[in-house]
Amino acid sequence: MNVISRQTRILMSNPDAGFELFQIPLSRKVPNSMLLKNNLDKSIGLLVSLTLLFILFLASNVYGYANTTWSSAYNAYFHYNGSNEHVIIREIRLPRAIVATLVGSALAVSGALMQALTRNPMASPGILGVNAGASFFIVAGVALLAVNSQGQFIWFALAGAAAAAVSVYLVSAVGREGMTPLKLTLAGATMTALFASFTSAILVSSEGTLDHVFLWLVGSVEGRKLENVLPILPFFLVGISCSLLLGRAMNVISVGEEVAKGLGQNTLRVKLISLIIVVLLAGGSVSVAGPIGFVGLVIPHIVRSVVGVDYRWVLPYCVLLGGILLLSADIAARFVAFPKEVPVGVMTAIIGAPFFIILARRELRKP
């Protein structure tokens, strides 16, 4: 009690010290273990990440089944002549790169927020059933209400993501101990299985629906048009922008709800705003690209190993590294089974599944 009181007094005089005073279960690492230790290094790291994201974005416009070059990509934007190469780059690959960047960033940020709020290192939209809920609502909308446009998909996805998030939170909060990381993970796995079963039941009974959403269900950014991007763009911009303003609040609430309340933080308001952001980002991602998993799990851990647990840096890095991961996975998906393409959701699963197993084993070994 004396220790908590002393730490609380220090936090009241300097709220940003929270991530230094407490050993946060998300990373279990002391600040000295992070790769970039001062603000200058972290700022340079952001610029390097932004440059890498830009290079991969351009590479996504160049490489694929059709043989194009960097010069043809340049000419497609500045000297457009209507050739097949230019049409492929501007009409097919550009929207695909935009979707991959936005979805990767959105999933990484939503995963970081979920891990901070729940203090569960295995929390992510895929693990906790948010993606599954959004997917079920979209499939149900296609099968029962003949939903077929991106503008309609987004609202069903948001409703499904919200329903799943609230359900997982309520189920995991039952009991005297309240919400614990283990109960949250189990509740998420249960809701994921439940929504997946409902989705399968609809698909089995409606072959037309299966044909319509098959590629979307495995997670893919292939074949997306700019018309698919525009309806979800406001949700992504609002969600990511608001999340970047929550860094200071996340630093406080991630050390524990009691400490956060002792500092005068309105934890209910912070949780509600964060939940809305997660629903916007995860629901928007599922509506345009399907249930792509593991991005929201992997990226926050990589970021914390680089910059530590200060969420004023974690969230901006998640925006950039999430886009980098999904762009890289999408480019690799074009060549891993060439001349055929593998859905990007398969590539992220190949990357993320071993990471999840390693993380789960590490958590089980801890006292």
Side-chain angles (χ1 to χ4, degrees):
M1 186 67 182
N2 292 334
V3 174
I4 295 296
S5 299
R6 180 179 62 84
Q7 292 172 332
T8 302
R9 287 195 299 270
I10 297 175
L11 279 168
M12 291 179 68
S13 62
N14 181 16
D16 296 332
F19 51 87
E20 297 176 356
L21 289 173
F22 291 84
Q23 184 181 8
I24 299 178
L26 292 172
S27 61
R28 311 263 186 186
K29 293 183 179 182
V30 296
N32 289 333
S33 65
M34 60 190 179
L35 185 60
L36 304 178
K37 296 181 173 60
N38 58 64
N39 289 343
L40 177 61
D41 290 343
K42 294 173 184 178
S43 299
I44 295 174
L46 275 179
L47 293 177
V48 172
S49 300
L50 182 61
T51 303
L52 180 57
L53 178 65
F54 181 69
I55 293 172
L56 287 171
F57 186 90
L58 295 179
S60 180
N61 282 261
V62 174
Y63 299 112
Y65 179 78
N67 187 19
T68 57
T69 62
W70 288 88
S71 61
S72 61
Y74 175 84
N75 291 327
Y77 294 111
F78 298 101
H79 305 288
Y80 183 73
N81 59 18
S83 65
N84 288 338
E85 286 186 350
H86 289 187
V87 170
I88 289 172
I89 291 171
R90 291 183 58 159
E91 303 297 328
I92 297 177
R93 292 182 182 169
L94 174 62
R96 182 172 181 169
I98 293 174
V99 170
T101 303
L102 290 175
V103 170
S105 299
L107 291 175
V109 169
S110 59
L113 291 177
M114 294 179 77
Q115 290 174 15
L117 287 175
T118 62
R119 306 187 75 198
N120 182 353
M122 292 184 287
S124 75
I127 301 299
L128 297 188
V130 177
N131 287 354
S135 300
F136 167 67
F137 271 58
I138 289 180
V139 171
V142 172
L144 304 177
L145 302 175
V147 173
N148 57 12
S149 70
Q150 185 62 49
Q152 295 172 316
F153 275 9
I154 182 65
W155 298 111
F156 281 85
L158 293 177
V166 172
S167 299
V168 169
Y169 181 83
L170 292 177
V171 171
S172 62
V174 173
R176 288 183 298 177
E177 310 97 12
M179 186 177 64
T180 65
L182 178 60
K183 289 171 64 178
L184 192 68
T185 303
L186 293 176
T190 302
M191 297 307 299
T192 298
L194 181 64
F195 283 121
S197 299
F198 290 159
T199 302
S200 299
I202 293 176
L203 295 176
V204 168
S205 61
S206 176
E207 292 185 5
T209 303
L210 177 61
D211 294 338
H212 189 73
V213 302
F214 179 76
L215 186 60
W216 173 86
L217 274 174
V218 295
S220 175
V221 296
E222 181 184 358
R224 303 302 184 266
K225 306 293 185 182
L226 284 177
E227 306 88 75
N228 302 129
V229 177
L230 294 178
I232 64 167
L233 191 58
F235 297 95
F236 282 143
L237 293 180
V238 170
I240 291 176
S241 300
C242 291
S243 69
L244 296 178
L245 300 176
L246 288 178
R248 186 184 296 269
M250 290 295 103
N251 281 340
V252 177
I253 200 171
S254 61
V255 301
E257 189 164 352
E258 292 184 2
V259 174
K261 288 180 178 179
L263 293 170
Q265 184 182 80
N266 188 331
T267 57
L268 179 60
R269 182 176 61 187
V270 172
K271 288 181 178 180
L272 182 60
I273 294 174
S274 301
L275 179 61
I276 292 173
I277 292 174
V278 168
V279 168
L280 289 176
L281 296 179
S285 299
V286 172
S287 71
V288 70
I292 296 176
F294 295 106
V295 177
L297 173 69
V298 173
I299 292 299
H301 285 276
I302 294 176
V303 169
R304 283 191 293 268
S305 69
V306 174
V307 300
V309 292
D310 183 354
Y311 276 83
R312 294 172 301 174
W313 291 102
V314 168
L315 294 172
Y317 267 89
C318 281
V319 172
L320 297 178
L321 294 190
I324 288 172
L325 175 62
L326 204 58
L327 279 172
S328 303
D330 183 44
I331 294 172
R334 304 175 193 183
F335 296 99
V336 69
F338 193 82
K340 296 182 179 180
E341 290 192 14
V342 175
V344 69
V346 175
M347 293 301 299
T348 58
I350 293 174
I351 298 170
F355 186 92
F356 178 76
I357 294 172
I358 294 172
L359 181 63
R361 288 174 60 87
R362 183 190 303 169
E363 291 299 311
L364 288 173
R365 290 175 180 172
K366 290 174 182 176

